[in-house]
Amino acid sequence: MDNTADLQVLLGSSYPLIVATARDERRLLRIVRRAAAHRGLPVWTWSATRGLAREGLAGQYGTTDPRQALDWVAALDDPGVFVFADLAFDDPLVVRHLKELAQRARPGQTLVVTGVAPAVPPDLAGLAMPWSLRPPGPDELERLVRRTMRDLSRRGIAVALDDAGVSEFAATLRGLSLGEAERLVQRAALGDGTLRPADLPGLRAAKAELLNVDGVLELVEAEVGTLGDVGGLGGIKQWLERRRLALAGGHPGLDRPRGFLLTGVPGCGKSLVAKSLARTWELPLVRLDPARLYGKYVGESEQRLASALATVDAMAPVVLWIDEIEKGFAAGGAGDGGVSQRLLGTFLHWMQERDDGVFLVATANDVAALPPELLRKGRFDDVFFVDLPDSEARERIFAIHLARRGHEPGAFDLPALATAADGFSGAEIEAAVVGATYRVLATGDPLTTAELATELAGTVPLSTSRGEDVEALRRWAAGRALAA
């Protein structure tokens, strides 16, 4: 059901008081007018500057004071929809007026109190119907993009978007108000004097900056290859490939994939999976740092999380990457006044109710620190354990990092290097390639298999220095997680 149809139902259901959350007031008023016209009701609007006025007429004298405006409505017997913009609930007389009007509930009269984030006061609980204006849908955004394209063309700005490009722009703008969306499209065009598909990355970044007011989220432009370029991790690659079709278009009777948790040995590619997955599926990647959630004021941490999750929903379709999730939602938390428990409750509720277009990738190094309610079946589609790479994967990792630094992998004895790197993580193999490259750069010699082997021999891998921890991770994963 769209916004107009939803509001028509509310007006027809004789709700006397609606508290509407809307970031785009002009759009809300258009929708109220359409819904009211469908039921043959006049619309009155109130603001602190204009007072109370019927559509198309001057404001009623002396009604800029909200209490006087509500008195005027109370004296009116005619049906109508009365929209009060930014009405303050901190005035007890205003709240009392609203309560009496709602209790009297004259047939055909509905009060709509609107604002960016109005909270229903306790005195109006049970009388006020909370309602949120949903963001513009794909059709509405496509019409906006086409209208903006025509405006840009009239101003002599080149526009190079076909129908597919228009749809992609509209999908990128999802979650913004129409005014915000139009300004971002104009900004993208005026930046280089043309509007084209190449503007999409900048548009995504500008949207993330606009929506992310708390600094908890980061739009990651992943400069990595696709999943096919990642060494090893065959289990998770197969899992993702099977679910890609369902994520793209859905399938009758089949739930869309929602996400997974990655745990395992540090340095074995958990973060790389999130980055390459977003690149493979051609979706924006947003990183949430749990450590940034915590604020010093009461309620600030919970507000930051709620705001961040609402922003992610607005950016869908998107891949949400929560790195080291145990930093924000660890078990226990008795010493923080219950903040971590409240954060966990908010997050679990979001996981249950979130938009289908948000695919969640969470990584954890210390999975034992996570509360059991976060790990139960249904929170994540699956839990994967990322172990140290096997011999074949180590060969592939060496080839990737050598090629990335301008070397021909075929010139090296990769099987011998893979054997020498037994017990090394992917990050440690990369560090060995980098270290050997610096060494030969200083001497002017070419990089050889022998130089790489020397670098490996001088490195103590994590599997040796923290062998007990690695074994503890493996014991936890046995029977609890799928092999990545």
Side-chain angles (χ1 to χ4, degrees), residues 394-405:
R394 293 195 296 273
E395 284 190 42
R396 176 67 177 147
I397 293 168
F398 269 111
I400 289 171
H401 289 298
L402 287 168
R404 188 173 294 170
R405 289 158 180 82

Side-chain angles (χ1 to χ4, degrees), residues 437-454:
T437 302
Y438 275 122
R439 178 182 296 166
V440 299
L441 184 65
T443 62
D445 297 327
L447 183 64
T448 63
T449 299
E451 288 289 352
L452 288 167
T454 300

Side-chain angles (χ1 to χ4, degrees), residues 123-203:
D123 287 347
L124 298 178
L127 291 171
M129 173 67 183
W131 184 76
S132 295
L133 178 66
R134 288 184 289 276
D139 293 342
E140 209 170 349
L141 288 169
E142 283 198 20
R143 288 195 296 271
L144 171 80
V145 173
R146 294 186 188 279
R147 186 171 65 249
T148 308
M149 288 167 56
R150 291 193 295 270
D151 177 61
L152 292 169
S153 296
R154 284 194 296 268
R155 294 159 57 188
I157 296 175
V159 175
L161 286 184
D162 55 15
D163 288 344
V166 170
S167 296
E168 196 167 3
F169 262 67
T172 301
L173 295 168
R174 180 180 169 184
L176 298 176
S177 69
L178 292 178
E180 290 168 337
E182 181 177 6
R183 286 189 288 274
L184 286 191
V185 175
Q186 298 265 8
R187 173 179 166 183
L190 295 174
D192 58 3
T194 184
L195 189 67
R196 52 183 178 164
D199 292 322
L200 279 169
L203 193 68

